[in-house]
Amino acid sequence: MQNFDYFNPTHIVFGQDRLNELDKLIPANAKVMVLFGSGSVKRYGTLDKVISGLGDRTVVEFGGIEPNPQFDTLMKAVEIVKAEQVDFLLAVGGGSVMDGTKFVSLAANVESDHSNLLFHGSASVPVDSAVPLGCVATLPATGSEMNSFAVITFNEQKYPMTSPLVFPKFSFLDPGLTQTLPKHQIANGVADAFVHVFEQYMTYPVDAKIQDRFSEGVLQTLIEDGPVTFNDNDNMAARKNFIWSATSALNGIIGVGVPQDWSAHMIGHELTATFDIAHGRTLAIVLPSLMRERKQQKRAKLLQFAERVWHITEGTDEQKIDSAIDKTEAFFNSLEIVTQLSHYGIDEAGIDTVVSKMKKMNLTQLSETGDLTLDIVRKILIAAL
Ligand code: NZQ
Ligand code: ZN
């Protein structure tokens, strides 16, 4: 196992109908900005419950954060936070709203050149203060509710950013609030969480037993309870397990002390930025093809995955690995996610566009060893056509 530091200060409030506890978690004299998306939280009554949970505090509402949150929209919130001297941010929504709120939190104490905050990749954004934030998560998928990451769209490119200052102070995970999600969003969430585990687990062995077994537990839970949640909107027991799987997949705990490979995300982000395919869906398209291409590099862990997660015991090692990748793709398909790029109207010319945009973004040495070059990315995408 490699050396690591682990720090996660987010207080999780898990369970139904607990929004009245907001009152205990936000300073009594705070001026609160409530940030939300394109209207689901108004339509389904979540916003009313949040406002009531905030009691007598002064509240400023900021709606209209779009999926794949846009820099220009978020800058409008930043201006209001400054003008109104807001001192607490409350994100009510999915990953896009939570990520957007993290950007606002960091940008509000910066005077100029706010887009520069986006260009630090996996290094911490160099600012030393942020407006504190909390979340009411309405979509289980990204793990943003318990991590320090955000992904912001600027000039039609997606930029990951991180800072320890934007760990949410708290996040409410209320399964009841997620029951209004359309089925395809549940599917996207299951795929996103599954691939989050994969990017931290499917590398090379470093004898990290806890991380491996946690990862395998999360994958197995997603395989068991993802489809139940997808097919049965009223099954609360399965939904609770799915929600905690999604949070556990990217709250840092499975990723400590192990090599990580975020290739599927880097390629997927470009598919979203170029063709507007939902984030989770892009990952389900890329992952099977990526694994088939990278069988040699990931042989030991793919075999472990086949045996421990899919319980494949028959056949040669090669057959077990092939079968595990096929089963993973079939799992995504069972959630009505089509894993062929052509289904989304993308052809070879589209793939060339994606590859050239990745070159512009300097994403030319992906994988846990930096050996995944853009000609291999092209091959992976061609195989997914
Ligand atoms: O905008 P509203 O009207 O709220 O509708 C949203 C949106 O259209 C809707 N929705 C959310 N909760 C709902 C609901 N509809 C009905 N009932 C509810 N309870 O769902 C749609 C999608 O929402 P969005 O927030 O965009 O989805 P998701 O949570 O999948 O977030 C995706 C974003 O997160 C980033 C992605 O790149 C993308 O921008 N990611 C963030 C990460 C992180 N912070 O760690 C890691 C991820 O890998 C990912 O890159
Ligand atoms: Zn993701």
Side-chain angles (χ1 to χ4, degrees):
M1 197 189 309
Q2 301 169 352
N3 292 351
F4 65 86
D5 285 41
Y6 182 62
F7 171 73
N8 192 318
T10 301
H11 174 167
I12 294 293
V13 186
F14 190 99
Q16 273 175 274
D17 299 326
R18 298 187 59 183
L19 286 177
N20 55 342
E21 295 175 44
L22 275 168
D23 194 42
K24 290 193 291 196
L25 293 165
I26 299 178
N29 56 355
K31 187 168 192 181
V32 183
M33 175 180 271
V34 177
L35 300 97
F36 52 95
S38 314
S40 74
V41 298
K42 278 199 164 166
R43 227 169 18 255
Y44 302 118
T46 307
L47 190 62
D48 288 343
K49 290 183 200 162
V50 166
I51 302 287
S52 141
L54 290 172
D56 296 336
R57 292 170 183 80
T58 308
V59 172
V60 181
E61 290 183 22
F62 185 85
I65 298 178
E66 49 285 277
N68 307 301
Q70 297 281 337
F71 173 82
D72 290 341
T73 305
L74 301 170
M75 281 309 299
K76 292 181 189 149
V78 170
E79 293 313 321
I80 299 171
V81 168
K82 287 183 178 186
E84 305 265 335
Q85 299 187 323
V86 166
D87 44 30
F88 199 94
L89 305 175
L90 184 59
V92 186
S96 295
V97 172
M98 295 188 276
D99 285 8
T101 302
K102 289 175 180 178
F103 175 82
V104 174
S105 154
L106 289 170
N109 291 348
V110 172
E111 284 316 313
S112 58
D113 298 329
H114 295 89
S115 60
N116 283 342
L117 297 172
L118 303 176
F119 307 141
H120 302 278
S122 56
S124 193
V125 178
V127 297
D128 49 22
S129 71
V131 181
L133 70 104
C135 301
V136 175
T138 63
L139 199 173
T142 61
S144 187
E145 64 276 6
M146 199 178 174
N147 70 37
S148 60
F149 308 118
V151 184
I152 306 301
T153 300
F154 175 65
N155 285 342
E156 293 173 22
Q157 289 287 356
K158 282 173 85 76
Y159 291 89
M161 62 190 295
T162 183
S163 161
L165 297 171
V166 296
F167 272 110
K169 299 287 171 213
F170 59 79
S171 283
F172 283 75
L173 307 186
D174 180 337
L177 299 181
T178 71
Q179 277 181 300
T180 53
L181 282 163
K183 277 181 88 164
H184 69 272
Q185 292 293 0
I186 298 283
N188 294 347
V190 174
D192 194 17
F194 194 100
V195 179
H196 289 162
V197 179
F198 239 70
E199 308 265 47
Q200 300 164 87
Y201 166 77
M202 190 49 66
T203 53
Y204 53 84
V206 291
D207 195 27
K209 292 183 183 175
I210 300 294
Q211 296 87 324
D212 278 6
R213 288 178 170 134
F214 273 180
S215 295
E216 288 152 3
V218 177
L219 292 173
Q220 284 174 300
T221 307
L222 288 166
I223 290 168
E224 260 170 50
D225 285 333
V228 178
T229 311
F230 180 75
N231 289 310
D232 178 0
N233 211 42
D234 296 324
N235 190 321
M236 265 305 162
R239 183 176 293 265
K240 286 178 183 174
N241 282 301
F242 162 46
I243 290 171
W244 190 232
S245 298
T247 303
S248 304
L250 200 49
N251 65 3
I253 193 83
I254 64 169
V256 296
V258 295
Q260 303 193 9
D261 172 7
W262 288 89
S263 299
H265 270 73
M266 294 303 105
I267 302 170
H269 281 169
E270 216 51 73
L271 288 171
T272 299
T274 310
F275 300 108
D276 201 25
I277 307 172
H279 173 65
R281 227 148 263 255
T282 65
L283 304 174
I285 297 166
V286 172
L287 192 80
S289 182
L290 175 65
M291 286 307 124
R292 290 189 183 106
E293 175 62 34
R294 304 290 286 173
K295 267 195 289 191
Q296 277 330 103
Q297 292 81 356
K298 296 179 186 289
R299 191 175 176 80
K301 289 301 278 289
L302 276 170
L303 192 58
Q304 182 177 323
F305 168 66
E307 290 173 348
R308 293 200 198 170
V309 175
W310 288 112
H311 309 297
I312 301 167
T313 50
E314 305 283 308
T316 62
D317 288 359
E318 193 70 22
Q319 285 166 336
K320 287 179 185 169
I321 288 171
D322 287 344
S323 168
I325 300 172
D326 291 348
K327 278 176 184 286
T328 302
E329 184 162 20
F331 171 65
F332 295 142
N333 297 153
S334 77
L335 301 168
E336 294 171 15
I337 300 180
V338 180
T339 43
Q340 275 75 45
L341 282 170
S342 53
H343 172 82
Y344 303 88
I346 299 170
D347 56 12
E348 265 194 59
I351 290 174
D352 288 336
T353 306
V354 166
V355 171
S356 65
K357 285 177 83 175
M358 287 180 73
K359 189 168 180 193
K360 244 194 222 157
M361 293 286 285
N362 222 4
L363 296 168
T364 52
Q365 291 178 306
L366 308 180
S367 96
E368 65 273 36
T369 58
D371 67 340
L372 204 161
T373 51
L374 286 177
D375 53 323
I376 309 175
V377 170
R378 190 170 191 282
K379 223 171 136 191
I380 289 164
L381 292 174
I382 294 284
L385 264 177

